[in-house]
Amino acid sequence: QVTLRESGPALVKPTQTLTLTCSFSGFSLDTSGMCVSWIRQPPGKALEWLSLIDGDDDKYYTTSLKTRLTISKDTSKNQVVLTMTNMDPVDTGTYYCARSRTPYYYYGMDVWGQGTTVTVSS
Amino acid sequence: DIQMTQSPSSLSASVGDRVSIACRASQSITAYLNWYKQKPGKAPELLIYFASSLQSGVPSRFSGSGSGRDFTLTISSLQPEDFATYYCQQTFSTPWTFGQGTKVEMK
């Protein structure tokens, strides 16, 4: 059974760096063509894809946040970490991680975590 | 970046209605188009991948069609659990992008 779970701080201050961890089980991110993505959703708004990392350790980012995001993986721990620098109140929302199976551009994001809510406020 | 535009933004329908939601890409994405359903306070769930392939476990009343720039999600007979927001997403090229969503409400 494939599961993903997001974790991280519920509250961050403006200008701080956010670090989110996606812990997963039931698959390996060592497999070429597999990937884990991060997606966020501001309250009452649409989904926004942020980043992905794949089994070959290739990394991709959304254009508008490219300079603020870093994604990495620890395959020994089955974790994917996303950091976002210089947090602003507009970054408030729910952050999800999701898995795509091989080949990931074909199968979509088939398993999602439950999401973690992040509020940016002083 | 590829822009995804859904229409309508919202619609009202009754149980048993046939419902269609459109999604248009700013350039050809061949068939790399996925559909998701999201209920309030819940994570999205994958309904359709590669434009028309039904995800395992998804009821057959959901179907997807289209290629190139224009795609459609159809619910053949709306059920009470289908009142939700639906999103299209392209995976033709990174950065992946979502449509703005279509909210299906009860008439």
Side-chain angles (χ1 to χ4, degrees):
Chain A
Q1 184 192 3
V2 173
T3 63
L4 301 97
R5 185 182 76 251
E6 306 88 350
S7 59
L11 179 65
V12 298
K13 290 180 166 47
T15 76
Q16 286 187 334
T17 295
L18 171 69
T19 299
L20 295 173
T21 300
C22 176
S23 301
F24 59 86
S25 63
F27 68 97
S28 172
L29 203 44
D30 269 344
T31 305
S32 186
M34 192 84 75
C35 80
V36 170
S37 291
W38 284 95
I39 306 96
R40 72 176 179 179
Q41 186 171 39
K45 295 192 176 180
L47 300 168
E48 179 182 20
W49 180 85
L50 299 178
S51 179
L52 76 81
I53 188 165
D54 69 18
D56 296 322
D57 207 33
D58 291 324
K59 303 160 188 175
Y60 302 93
Y61 300 99
T62 190
T63 302
S64 61
L65 295 171
K66 199 174 213 175
T67 59
R68 298 175 52 204
L69 294 174
T70 303
I71 194 169
S72 62
K73 64 177 179 173
D74 185 333
T75 50
S76 65
K77 293 182 179 178
N78 280 352
Q79 291 181 336
V80 172
V81 174
L82 183 75
T83 62
M84 183 181 293
T85 61
N86 194 25
M87 292 293 285
D88 183 272
V90 300
D91 297 314
T92 293
T94 301
Y95 288 72
Y96 298 97
C97 61
R99 189 277 303 254
S100 300
R101 57 193 172 106
T102 305
Y104 54 76
Y105 45 84
Y106 180 85
Y107 283 109
M109 297 181 286
D110 64 337
V111 185
W112 293 61
Q114 84 280 9
T116 188
T117 301
V118 177
T119 300
V120 184
S121 174
S122 54
Chain B
D1 297 4
I2 298 174
Q3 309 302 317
M4 306 300 294
T5 304
Q6 290 181 232
S7 60
S9 296
S10 65
L11 64 91
S12 297
S14 301
V15 172
D17 284 353
R18 182 180 181 87
V19 167
S20 291
I21 299 168
C23 178
R24 170 167 279 190
S26 59
Q27 66 183 73
S28 176
I29 56 171
T30 63
Y32 292 102
L33 190 281
N34 309 305
W35 290 98
Y36 301 86
K37 168 186 172 183
Q38 186 181 32
K39 303 207 82 169
K42 300 292 187 184
E45 56 178 285
L46 178 66
L47 299 174
I48 302 284
Y49 62 91
F50 202 59
S52 60
S53 295
L54 193 67
Q55 173 67 6
S56 176
V58 173
S60 59
R61 62 181 180 273
F62 290 93
S63 64
S65 62
S67 65
R69 292 182 59 198
D70 292 307
F71 301 87
T72 303
L73 174 71
T74 300
I75 309 172
S76 60
S77 177
L78 199 66
Q79 297 302 299
E81 59 269 31
D82 300 337
F83 293 100
T85 301
Y86 294 83
Y87 294 94
C88 62
Q89 178 218 15
Q90 67 82 18
T91 51
F92 176 76
S93 65
T94 55
W96 292 352
T97 43
F98 287 95
Q100 81 280 16
T102 296
K103 187 172 185 179
V104 177
E105 299 173 301
M106 194 176 300
K107 186 182 285 184

